Amino acid sequence: MSFEGQSIFDPAIAQEIFNKDDFVNWTVHTILLKGKTAVVTGCSRGIGKAILHAFAINGANVWACARRSDDQFTKYLANLEKETCVNILPVYFDL
């Protein structure tokens, strides 16, 4: 089947491209988080970094909180922002 000129955002087309479970999960995440803003602490490593990634790939803009800036973290944020087309604002502070 050819999907040329059709949008994957058309539910009928998307269900043929994705299996049903993937389509439902993808649709729910996209609808729930697109255009939302999340504040995530501990973003430079561990669970905080995983949560940052999950919010970004699901369409949420993120305030990414970390204790300090470093080049590796800054590059990670820039790449994730480019990959997901969301805004990620790094915020540095130590509670």
Side-chain angles (χ1 to χ4, degrees), residues 48-66:
K49 191 172 187 179
I51 293 169
L52 161 68
H53 188 85
F55 275 113
I57 64 171
N58 286 296
N61 298 311
V62 182
W63 286 28
C65 304

Side-chain angles (χ1 to χ4, degrees), residues 20-80:
K20 186 175 180 179
D21 292 335
D22 286 345
F23 176 71
V24 170
N25 290 334
W26 173 77
T27 303
V28 168
H29 289 306
T30 302
I31 292 170
L32 290 177
L33 299 178
K34 185 174 181 164
K36 304 290 184 188
T37 301
V39 177
V40 182
T41 60
C43 287
S44 61
R45 60 191 176 98
I47 294 171
K49 191 172 187 179
I51 293 169
L52 161 68
H53 188 85
F55 275 113
I57 64 171
N58 286 296
N61 298 311
V62 182
W63 286 28
C65 304
R67 286 187 184 173
R68 62 186 66 88
S69 174
D70 66 48
D71 290 339
Q72 185 178 7
F73 182 61
T74 303
K75 287 178 187 175
Y76 173 76
L77 293 180
N79 288 336
L80 185 59

